[in-house]
Amino acid sequence: MPTLTVQNLPATVPVPPNSTLLAALQAAGYDWMHACGAKGRCTTCRIILVSGAEALTPPTAAELRYRSANRLQENERLTCQTRLPEGAVTGRVPEATKLPHMQYLVE
C-alpha cells in the first residue's frame, strides 16, 4: 500500500486507494489543518514535499489556480486534493499551518 511520511510529526501512514492524503492522515488519527473543510478553497491543508512528488496525482485545477496566484509553491500540494496511487511520498507540515495542540519535531 502507498505511504505518506510526514517528517515533522513524525508519522508514516498508509494511503488507501482513491483516498486523499488528508483522508489518510485523518484515518490514521492525525489532526491536520483544513479550514475550508477539504474542498480545495484555501491552502491551509498544504504539505511541503520532500521526496516522491512524481508518485502523486497531477495538480488539480484548484492547486493550479493557487500556484498561478503564488499561494502554493511548486514543492507544495493540497492534501485535500492530492492522491497517491502507488509508491511513497515524504513531506513536512508548513510552519504557518501547524496546529497548537500538536507536537512537532524541531526541523
Side-chain angles (χ1 to χ4, degrees):
M1 182 174 293
T3 58
L4 166 64
T5 299
V6 182
Q7 290 178 333
N8 54 349
L9 272 179
T12 298
V13 299
V15 181
N18 298 314
S19 176
T20 64
L21 299 182
L22 178 61
L25 285 159
Q26 290 175 324
Y30 292 97
D31 201 3
W32 195 276
M33 173 78 76
H34 58 285
C36 72
K39 296 188 180 5
R41 296 182 185 156
C42 69
T43 60
T44 59
C45 74
R46 71 185 178 274
I47 187 168
I48 299 170
L49 300 174
V50 175
S51 66
E54 66 281 351
L56 298 170
T57 53
T60 63
E63 291 175 300
L64 293 173
R65 187 173 54 250
Y66 286 120
R67 280 187 183 168
S68 69
N70 292 319
R71 292 187 57 201
L72 193 66
Q73 302 303 309
E74 289 293 322
N75 68 332
E76 296 177 322
R77 294 293 302 271
L78 300 180
T79 61
C80 74
Q81 301 289 298
T82 307
R83 299 174 193 283
L84 180 61
E86 59 184 42
V89 69
T90 300
R92 294 180 291 122
V93 181
E95 194 64 38
T97 60
K98 288 181 178 177
L99 297 169
H101 66 279
M102 297 287 292
Q103 292 193 349
Y104 300 93
L105 296 176
V106 176
E107 298 176 36

